[in-house]
Amino acid sequence: ENSACNEVLNARRTYWTMIGQEEKEILRICSSVGGQPSMEHLVLPKTACILPDGNFCIAELLEQSRVRIMSREGKHTRYMLGTMEALYFPQGIACDDKAVYVSLHRSVEKFSYPDGTRLAAHKGDKSNCFEYCSMIDGVLYAVDSRVPEILVFDKQRMIPQRKWGEKFPYPDVNDWAQPILDPPTTHFIHPVHIASHPVGVMVTDDVAWRVVRFTNDGIPVGTPIKGEHCPHATAFFNEHILLVEAGQLVVIKEDGSLLQKIRFDQPKMPQPFLPTLFCDEQAVYVIETLPRACVHKLELADPVKVLVESESISPIELEQVEIKPFDLCIIGGGMVGCCTARDVASCNFKIVLVEKEPVIGGVWAKNKYPGLRLHAPGTTYRCLSVAPKWQTSVKSSPKEGPDMTGLSYRPTQDEILQYIESLTEHPNIQVRLGSVFCHAEEMSPVMQRVICDTFTFKARTLFYANGAYEVTSGKPYMPIDVTEITNGAAVFHSSEMTSRKGEWDSATTRYIIGASKAAIDVLQTLDPGDESIVWAHRGHVIFMNRDRAFLDGVGVADKDESQKKSEQKIAGTNTMNHALKNQHFQAYDSMILGSKMGHRIGTPYHKGSIGARGGVESEAGIEHARAFLPRQRIVKMLKVADGQLMLELTDGKILIPGANDTVVMCTGQRNNMGPMYHSKCGEMNFGGTFRVLPFSGTAPMISIYFTSLIVAHLDQRPNPYSSGLLYEELTKLGEHMDKLQNRQPWAMFMSFLGGLQLDICNHIFPWVNIGAGDLSFATIWWTDWFGKDLDVRQTTIKLSTKPKE
């Protein structure tokens, strides 16, 4: 009701609006509010607790958002976390005798004490905002202001054991100008703080302007304590309730009556921002974030047993602590990201790999169905610096079987996942699982600040490796909404097939939807005589012939003959890529089939724009699939109507899976690149930022192209990226892509792949150096490089050096 209070409320409203902007500008705005951070003072202290050894544990905001250990006298001891990263927007901090817990905007993190190793985390999403956490009688509590609710954690696994709280139906939680009067005590509007109380806990709600006491089980006790203004935090000290609000500390009796007010007025800022408080047996400590960035100590004065203000702790002089930047930040922990991380790390660069999922592996970690293994030979499915076990533990002879041994061996899903996991086991690689990349901002021409949902750090370069393929990576693609199916039929994606094996095995009729690689893999595990199988698809596609496409030229001893083979490969690949780039798909399909590099299972043919989209399959695999042709049904349209999945066939019939039937959708994955992906590909690969592009149909080969560019850029050696040539060529290709008529996902992807291989790849690795138009077809993989760990810098320099005229 007064000007000082209104200014506080306006600041608080602005503060929350910043959070509501999905984390885009918080650090920059806070920096401008708080001034330039100085290593000689506290920098926007936000939250604190007292450690078992008696030291303070204080978390600060801004670029230096880390956990600082201080003595009771305010002497800086050290930073708890390492020197390469910082926490992102810490809201609350708590501890026990083994660990420190920090609530961040989207998560609650657990760190070991005193070394600061990240042990575990509870991850939220955009619906969460963890305002505060507290350790009360050995139990970890956290406050979620956005859901809103109170969470009680299993500290070992960082999993909520129970929750309580109901949302009060208030239309605009951003308006703190007036409190919400008397909502039910079981309801929250915007809880921000939790503290200990003799009956259990106290929860502060800064929109309801009150503190509610609860038992440990979430049962409200007594009458809510009313605040005068917008309260930030509370504590129970010396049988009184303390409330921090609007630049003052209010001391309230248990019956709710006012005992004392202590103002923190400053001449330059009448209403300092006091976000929280904490206490021990002798004193209460109030954090002031702005304007002074300090900690106030308030002691007990006998015999009146009320609080009086002592002098504030002076600004703390600190030792200079350098935040060392990473050389490379990789966003995405799939095959491309992990291969790049390992190869670049082997060149003595420091890497941080950020993956939003709880595990690395990309599509290999998301899919699980019978028969899943690599479609192409595993000879090229590797990085440069580490040869996989499927190469080092088998004989290197192409004559020992087309699928299971030697050069043509196809690793299983488990083998590939084990290999991917092994790639990150390097001292120069730090992996952050369950962390969501938010954005990056340029600090200088050679440095970027990277902000994730749980931490922030500096990096010299940034590589977005989160999906190279628009149509074969990303999330499982479902052409229908399975939640609309209510007739009891079990319908799920092939990636769920292993986990739902019981439904598949017990079904009366088992439908396989699709004709590409996942469907063929599943058919490989089935008996063609099984009458319960229905194979439904829209037509047959072209597969690359595994027995012919990859080993061409391997074993040719004559130098002239080998040179001739290489020239033929380059010419043939370029002709095909020219057709792809310009969407001459019928010509491309004809070349694939005419050269015997591709084959089909049967008829009718798929009526899509391009037929060569099935993947890779052996001649034996094609023959096995042909045995199912009597069981195929050609689908005109899939739809859900009246709670039933309906398969409209080209012959006019309709198939409706029933309650005892199971349908497996072998419909692949889709990665939504966005409408500007192709036209902006040049801008996304410029100025210290790299964005993964499909330079090859094999993911590790893409990694090697980018590894060469990244290492050369970090070494400051001449290369197409640093010179701007890559930007210019990609910009031209983007302009070409914008003019294409067929905008279907497969058509755009194949055109982009062809354009990259035709116009770009030769600038990175000249074709004459690799003896092919695609690195994955270089015969050296099957000869000199097979089963060997390679020197990355030496190998990429040799591949990228232009031959003399």
Side-chain angles (χ1 to χ4, degrees):
E1 297 298 326
N2 56 58
S3 59
C5 178
N6 287 335
E7 289 181 29
V8 172
L9 297 178
N10 289 333
R12 181 71 171 152
R13 187 181 300 114
T14 303
Y15 168 81
W16 180 252
T17 301
M18 288 191 292
I19 297 176
Q21 294 172 349
E22 302 304 335
E23 307 164 322
K24 296 298 183 184
E25 297 291 335
I26 296 175
L27 295 185
R28 185 186 65 78
I29 294 175
C30 285
S31 180
S32 65
V33 173
Q36 293 298 317
S38 169
M39 291 304 300
E40 297 179 353
H41 298 84
L42 278 166
V43 182
L44 292 182
K46 178 66 168 64
T47 184
C49 68
I50 299 176
L51 296 164
D53 59 14
N55 286 325
F56 290 160
C57 197
I58 298 181
E60 301 167 291
L61 299 178
L62 295 183
E63 182 184 344
Q64 312 290 342
S65 296
R66 290 188 283 173
V67 177
R68 179 185 295 199
I69 311 301
M70 294 169 36
S71 69
R72 293 293 186 94
E73 293 75 31
K75 182 179 179 180
H76 171 76
T77 303
R78 63 184 178 83
Y79 286 114
M80 192 181 79
L81 301 184
T83 59
M84 285 193 175
E85 66 177 72
L87 293 173
Y88 178 69
F89 213 67
Q91 304 275 46
I93 194 165
C95 64
D96 55 20
D97 58 350
K98 295 181 179 179
V100 172
Y101 306 84
V102 184
S103 57
L104 304 166
H105 191 31
R106 297 265 196 260
S107 66
V108 183
E109 309 272 331
K110 179 181 179 179
F111 299 92
S112 63
Y113 180 76
D115 63 329
T117 302
R118 187 173 183 264
L119 301 176
H122 169 69
K123 298 290 296 182
D125 55 31
K126 291 184 179 181
S127 65
N128 301 110
C129 181
F130 299 108
E131 290 272 355
Y132 194 78
C133 65
S134 181
M135 190 66 63
I136 301 174
D137 296 329
V139 178
L140 178 64
Y141 293 82
V143 178
D144 188 332
S145 64
R146 193 171 286 182
V147 171
E149 62 188 4
I150 308 299
L151 298 86
V152 184
F153 280 92
D154 174 344
K155 294 186 296 183
Q156 184 66 28
R157 298 180 297 166
M158 289 304 292
I159 298 175
Q161 291 178 313
R162 62 183 186 274
K163 306 174 183 180
W164 82 76
E166 298 181 57
K167 184 178 181 65
F168 186 74
Y170 180 61
D172 183 7
V173 298
N174 291 331
D175 187 1
W176 279 271
Q178 295 294 333
I180 301 302
L181 300 176
D182 301 323
T185 53
T186 55
H187 288 61
F188 296 128
I189 302 175
H190 193 255
V192 292
H193 192 270
I194 187 168
S196 175
H197 187 274
V199 302
V201 299
M202 299 185 296
V203 178
T204 304
D205 192 320
D206 65 353
V207 174
W209 290 16
R210 70 180 189 179
V211 176
V212 181
R213 291 158 285 188
F214 293 92
T215 67
N216 292 327
D217 295 323
I219 301 173
V221 176
T223 304
I225 302 296
K226 296 285 187 178
E228 286 189 339
H229 303 302
C230 178
H232 300 188
T234 187
F236 189 81
F237 183 82
N238 192 34
E239 300 182 355
H240 295 104
I241 294 173
L242 312 180
L243 208 59
V244 169
E245 58 175 34
Q248 67 181 5
L249 179 72
V250 181
V251 185
I252 302 173
K253 296 180 180 180
E254 272 285 87
D255 62 5
S257 59
L258 176 66
L259 183 62
Q260 186 180 3
K261 296 180 183 177
I262 300 174
R263 295 289 303 175
F264 292 84
D265 292 344
Q266 292 292 305
K268 294 183 179 180
M269 187 175 181
Q271 61 290 335
F273 181 43
L274 310 172
T276 193
L277 74 165
F278 55 104
C279 56
D280 57 18
E281 296 81 4
Q282 300 298 321
V284 175
Y285 304 89
V286 180
I287 290 181
E288 180 179 337
T289 300
L290 295 171
R292 285 176 295 185
C294 63
V295 180
H296 299 274
K297 181 179 180 182
L298 299 105
E299 297 175 336
L300 184 65
D302 288 328
V304 294
K305 293 187 178 181
V306 297
L307 296 172
V308 296
E309 184 179 10
S310 66
E311 293 183 1
S312 299
I313 296 178
S314 300
I316 304 156
E317 294 188 2
L318 304 175
E319 61 192 48
Q320 185 71 28
V321 179
E322 179 187 3
I323 296 183
K324 298 178 182 178
F326 290 98
D327 295 300
L328 173 65
C329 168
I330 299 176
I331 309 300
M335 191 68 183
V336 173
C338 292
C339 284
T340 306
R342 184 54 176 259
D343 280 349
V344 176
S346 74
C347 296
N348 201 31
F349 293 115
K350 299 293 184 182
I351 315 296
V352 58
L353 189 149
V354 179
E355 170 55 52
K356 65 180 180 180
E357 302 294 338
V359 296
I360 58 175
V363 294
W364 288 106
K366 295 176 182 177
N367 283 283
K368 192 71 174 178
Y369 56 80
L372 176 57
R373 61 193 311 143
L374 188 66
H375 270 230
T379 313
T380 59
Y381 211 73
R382 51 162 293 185
C383 69
L384 290 173
S385 56
V386 181
K389 289 184 178 180
W390 61 78
Q391 292 188 15
T392 58
S393 61
V394 299
K395 296 179 181 179
S396 57
S397 170
K399 298 181 180 179
E400 296 187 19
D403 294 322
M404 301 304 166
T405 59
L407 295 174
S408 296
Y409 179 73
R410 297 165 52 220
T412 65
Q413 178 192 29
D414 290 340
E415 288 175 318
I416 292 173
L417 282 175
Q418 289 172 11
Y419 177 64
I420 294 175
E421 290 167 0
S422 72
L423 293 179
T424 61
E425 296 171 359
H426 191 283
N428 287 340
I429 300 175
Q430 182 181 138
V431 179
R432 294 300 299 258
L433 298 176
S435 296
V436 178
F437 169 79
C438 297
H439 73 286
E441 54 189 40
E442 184 178 292
M443 300 177 65
S444 73
V446 294
M447 192 67 63
Q448 299 188 60
R449 179 188 288 113
V450 182
I451 300 172
C452 300
D453 64 340
T454 60
F455 65 112
T456 180
F457 54 87
K458 296 177 182 177
R460 294 171 62 192
T461 52
L462 181 63
F463 180 31
Y464 294 93
N466 49 345
Y469 307 119
E470 297 169 77
V471 288
T472 58
S473 66
K475 297 180 180 180
Y477 172 69
M478 291 288 281
I480 57 168
D481 184 355
V482 296
T483 62
E484 297 178 357
I485 300 173
T486 58
N487 69 337
V491 182
F492 49 85
H493 192 266
S494 58
S495 60
E496 303 177 77
M497 197 169 177
T498 299
S499 62
R500 303 183 69 168
K501 185 175 182 298
E503 296 169 87
W504 172 257
D505 290 342
S506 62
T508 301
T509 303
R510 298 184 288 175
Y511 294 83
I512 298 172
I513 309 296
S516 293
K517 56 184 181 179
I520 307 307
D521 278 346
V522 174
L523 289 177
Q524 295 277 5
T525 67
L526 301 176
D527 180 3
D530 187 344
E531 296 184 357
S532 70
I533 301 296
V534 174
W535 182 21
H537 56 85
R538 294 188 296 169
H540 293 280
V541 294
I542 300 172
F543 292 83
M544 294 294 290
N545 189 327
R546 188 184 304 126
D547 304 321
R548 294 175 178 266
F550 297 96
L551 293 175
D552 186 29
V554 177
V556 178
D558 183 77
K559 186 176 181 180
D560 292 337
E561 182 65 20
S562 178
Q563 177 69 23
K564 183 178 179 180
K565 280 283 187 183
S566 296
E567 292 174 356
Q568 289 174 346
K569 279 186 178 181
I570 294 171
T573 303
N574 288 346
T575 300
M576 292 180 182
N577 284 330
H578 185 275
L580 286 177
K581 175 185 174 182
N582 295 286
Q583 296 193 339
H584 300 154
F585 295 134
Q586 289 185 349
Y588 176 79
D589 291 347
S590 298
M591 284 186 277
I592 291 290
L593 292 172
S595 64
K596 305 297 183 183
M597 290 180 62
H599 46 187
R600 274 193 178 110
I601 294 171
T603 56
Y605 299 151
H606 191 282
K607 294 183 179 180
S609 56
I610 182 167
R613 51 187 272 188
V616 183
E617 192 52 73
S618 67
E619 293 173 355
I622 292 291
E623 283 301 317
H624 180 81
R626 284 172 180 159
F628 287 88
L629 288 176
R631 304 197 178 283
Q632 78 174 0
R633 302 292 185 270
I634 307 304
V635 177
K636 179 181 179 181
M637 183 173 62
L638 283 175
K639 67 177 182 180
V640 178
D642 300 325
Q644 302 176 115
L645 174 62
M646 304 180 69
L647 285 71
E648 295 187 10
L649 307 183
T650 55
D651 61 6
K653 296 180 180 178
I654 297 178
L655 299 179
I656 301 177
N660 298 320
D661 301 332
T662 298
V663 181
V664 175
M665 307 291 289
C666 300
T667 47
Q669 291 83 28
R670 290 289 170 88
N671 198 347
N672 184 15
M673 301 298 196
M676 305 299 289
Y677 169 66
H678 302 100
S679 59
K680 297 292 185 181
C681 58
E683 296 178 21
M684 294 186 292
N685 283 278
F686 184 76
T689 298
F690 298 81
R691 174 67 170 90
V692 66
L693 300 169
F695 288 136
S696 170
T698 306
M701 300 299 101
I702 296 174
S703 167
I704 294 171
Y705 280 106
F706 275 99
T707 294
S708 178
L709 295 172
I710 291 169
V711 172
H713 179 70
L714 292 173
D715 283 347
Q716 298 183 350
R717 289 186 281 108
N719 64 90
Y721 176 86
S722 301
S723 69
L725 177 62
L726 185 68
Y727 168 81
E728 293 175 4
E729 293 298 322
L730 286 174
T731 300
K732 292 178 184 177
L733 180 57
E735 293 172 354
H736 169 80
M737 296 295 295
D738 287 342
K739 298 175 184 178
L740 295 177
Q741 297 298 312
N742 192 331
R743 313 299 295 181
Q744 295 298 315
W746 267 104
M748 292 296 289
F749 166 69
M750 295 300 286
S751 296
F752 198 42
L753 172 63
L756 289 169
Q757 291 195 340
L758 184 66
D759 300 338
I760 310 296
C761 290
N762 188 47
H763 294 296
I764 304 172
F765 297 147
W767 297 320
V768 295
N769 287 358
I770 61 178
D774 184 330
L775 184 60
S776 63
F777 289 99
T779 57
I780 198 170
W781 288 111
W782 282 265
T783 54
D784 296 352
W785 289 355
F786 187 86
K788 296 179 182 178
D789 297 344
L790 305 174
D791 183 292
V792 172
R793 188 176 274 111
Q794 179 181 335
T795 301
T796 54
I797 289 176
K798 184 176 180 180
L799 288 175
S800 59
T801 301
K802 292 184 178 180
K804 295 181 180 180
E805 296 293 338

